[in-house]
Each structure stands twice: as structure tokens, then as C-alpha cells.
Amino acid sequence: MPDLQGQEKDQKNYHVNTPFANQGTFHVKGADSLDWGMKTRLSNIFDPKTGNTVMFAFDHGYFMGSVTGLERLDIVIPSLLPHIDVLMGTRGALRTCVPPNSGKGVALRTSSGSSMLYDDLSHEVVAVDIEDAIRLNADCMAVQTFIGADGQLSSLDNLSRTVNDGMSYGIPTLGVVAVGKDMERTDRFFKLATRILAELGANLIKTYYCDKFEEIVAACPVPIVVAGGKKLPEAEAMTLAYHSMQGGARGLDMGRNIFQSEHPVQMAAAIRKIVHEGFTDKEAFQFYTDTTR
Ligand code: 5RP
């Protein structure tokens, strides 16, 4: 085992201005050597023209129940479909509330076991098996991981089992970096967490934005999608989205900042402008303001 203490003293160079050297001919980072089916599903997530994605996250109910803004999945989700690329949800929500002809990518929440009623959220299981992911035509399987928490080992075992099944059947794995209340939202933590998930075989990773984000992206050999996190004022959420994309994220996975916005449809459309049309945060907020007058 390397001397972990010694590692921290080295001056590291992430070559943030050097493009990924093993990109090959496929538009998704780290996927050039994967099979056709994996690439097809990754193309349903990351637009081949821009390489980016707008994921709408509505999987909160798997441990939070009917959160504000998601009281009626059957009403909220269809209204947002024109502005999103990927549906990030549970199998229960998809089957009951999402039109199967939506034509959108599916990031299927497959791990679960937490609930808001219990303090430790860090112990989950793989609840959705590969057969049901195939039935749902999932384009990736989302597994929550808890680096640094009590549930670390079991969550990384969940991820590895999902990667094993995903590689057997051609379905990518989305490694989700959870941040417990005692965890630090620093580049040191997110560099560790994102790299562990990528090394364990996750094909895309969802994490949070923080300082030195471009170094996190450079050190991670698969694409990173940024979670929106707690509800912010719309202008701040757009700045978060813009800084994430400028820092090398290949998309946003927003939930609360869309479904808890006063105008969710226009918010999703504005985020799309940043992700796929190169809008700045200021331009996107002007678009939002103009369309919600
Ligand atoms: C909830 C999740 C969500 O998918 C993720 O956090 C994005 O949602 P939000 O933008 O509301 O944070 O993993 O468990």
C-alpha cells in the first residue's frame, strides 16, 4: 500500500488545460473502448452534438417522500420534457407517472434503503436488479455512494455489483457522490470521491460544484454531471450551472432548482441554454426573466 500520508505532501499537477488524452473518436470521456450498446446508451444521455446533458432529477421521493414541488409527478414531469434530455427517477415514478413515449434518456435510481426518518442515510442496497433496468430501457443505473461515511463499504459494493451487471448487459453506471452532513464540500473530498467511483468502473459521475472544480474534472476519467443541490435563487442557480460547465462538467442534474422554482418550465429552458447553447449565467437569467414576465 502506498504511504497515504506522503501522497498529500506532493505538489500535484492536474494539467487542467490539456484535453483528455484517450478521447478517441467517441464523444463521451473514457468510453472509447466500450461496446456499441454502452455507447448507444451514453449517447442517449450525452448529446452527440454538444457532448452535454440536462438531467431532470425527480428521484428524491425514494427517501424524502413527496417533497415540495414534486407533490404531483404526473403533472410536473410532462411539462418539462421539451427542455430536458434525461429523466433521473425511480422505477415507481417512471412506470406510474412518465409517458413511455417521452423519447428521453433514463437515469434509473437503482439503489435505495434510506429514509428521512432515520439519521444515517449512508446504508443502501441495490434494490433494482439488472433485469428490471433492462425492462425499463435504462440508459444508466444510478447508485448512491457514501465516501467517508459509515456506509462506505456497502455503498461501494453496491456500485461494483452494478458495474459488473452493467458491463454484462451494456448499461452504464452512474456513480452518485452523496455528501453527508458531516462531510466537507471541498475539492479534496470530491477529488477523492469522484476518482474512486471512476476507478471502480462508473461510466459517469454526479457530484457537486466547488472551488478548483476544473481539477476534479481533470483528475476524473469519465464525465461529471453536477447536482443542483438545495434550492437557490434562480440567478444563483444559473451561475452554479454556468461555472460548472465552464469548469468542465458535461451537464447538470438538477431537481430542486427546477421543480421548486416559481417557473419550473422556464427554469429548465434557461438551464438548457447554458448547457447546450453556450449562454452565460447572465444571458440565461435574462432569458428566464423575459419568458416569465
Ligand atoms: C437525490 C438525488 C438527486 O438526483 C440529486 O441530488 C439532484 O437533485 P437536486 O438538484 O435537488 O440536488 O440524488 O437523492
Side-chain angles (χ1 to χ4, degrees), residues 16-89:
V16 294
N17 296 317
T18 303
F20 184 62
N22 195 41
Q23 185 69 36
T25 58
F26 190 59
H27 68 287
V28 177
K29 188 177 185 182
D32 196 49
S33 306
L34 296 178
D35 184 41
W36 192 89
M38 291 287 272
K39 288 180 171 178
T40 303
R41 293 184 178 92
L42 287 167
S43 300
N44 292 339
I45 297 169
F46 297 103
D47 184 324
K49 292 187 288 299
T50 66
N52 300 330
T53 188
V54 176
M55 284 187 181
F56 173 56
F58 53 93
D59 59 327
H60 305 61
Y62 92 93
F63 76 104
M64 297 172 77
S66 57
V67 296
T68 304
L70 286 183
E71 297 88 341
R72 290 289 301 274
L73 293 169
D74 57 314
I75 295 173
V76 172
I77 296 169
S79 70
L80 297 170
L81 292 177
H83 308 293
I84 64 170
D85 302 303
V86 179
L87 297 156
M88 161 85 180

Side-chain angles (χ1 to χ4, degrees), residues 57-60 62-64 88 109 144 176 206 208 226-230 253-257 259:
F58 53 93
D59 59 327
H60 305 61
Y62 92 93
F63 76 104
M64 297 172 77
M88 161 85 180
R109 161 66 64 185
Q144 208 82 352
V176 179
K206 176 168 64 168
Y208 294 88
V226 171
K230 289 186 173 56
D253 174 52
M254 277 192 169
R256 288 161 286 180
N257 277 288
F259 62 70

Side-chain angles (χ1 to χ4, degrees), residues 61-254:
Y62 92 93
F63 76 104
M64 297 172 77
S66 57
V67 296
T68 304
L70 286 183
E71 297 88 341
R72 290 289 301 274
L73 293 169
D74 57 314
I75 295 173
V76 172
I77 296 169
S79 70
L80 297 170
L81 292 177
H83 308 293
I84 64 170
D85 302 303
V86 179
L87 297 156
M88 161 85 180
T90 61
R91 60 179 167 183
L94 289 168
R95 286 199 165 104
T96 57
C97 298
V98 180
N101 60 355
S102 74
K104 301 301 172 182
V106 172
L108 180 64
R109 161 66 64 185
T110 56
S111 70
S112 65
S114 315
S115 107
M116 293 299 280
L117 296 180
Y118 190 65
D119 191 40
D120 173 13
L121 296 177
S122 73
H123 292 82
E124 296 194 353
V125 296
V126 175
V128 181
D129 66 17
I130 191 71
E131 287 182 9
D132 213 27
I134 293 167
R135 279 187 213 102
L136 284 153
N137 202 26
D139 293 295
C140 67
M141 298 175 286
V143 177
Q144 208 82 352
T145 62
F146 302 89
I147 305 299
D150 188 52
Q152 174 175 279
L153 174 61
S154 60
S155 72
L156 293 179
D157 185 45
N158 293 341
L159 181 90
S160 297
R161 292 170 185 275
T162 302
V163 170
N164 292 339
D165 286 346
M167 292 303 289
S168 298
Y169 292 92
I171 302 181
T173 296
L174 163 57
V176 179
V177 175
V179 182
K181 60 186 184 303
D182 300 327
M183 295 180 198
E184 52 181 39
R185 288 181 180 235
T186 61
D187 68 291
R188 181 173 175 271
F189 171 75
F190 288 131
K191 281 172 187 160
L192 174 70
T194 54
R195 182 61 171 263
I196 287 174
L197 270 55
E199 299 254 11
L200 294 182
N203 305 103
L204 61 160
I205 290 170
K206 176 168 64 168
T207 188
Y208 294 88
Y209 181 81
C210 69
D211 291 343
K212 299 185 184 175
F213 181 73
E214 65 280 357
E215 293 182 354
I216 298 165
V217 169
C220 184
V222 296
I224 287 180
V225 175
V226 171
K230 289 186 173 56
K231 177 71 176 71
L232 299 167
E234 278 74 1
E236 289 180 34
M238 289 177 208
T239 298
L240 167 66
Y242 179 62
H243 286 171
S244 298
M245 298 306 294
Q246 291 297 104
R250 300 315 308 226
L252 275 297
D253 174 52
M254 277 192 169

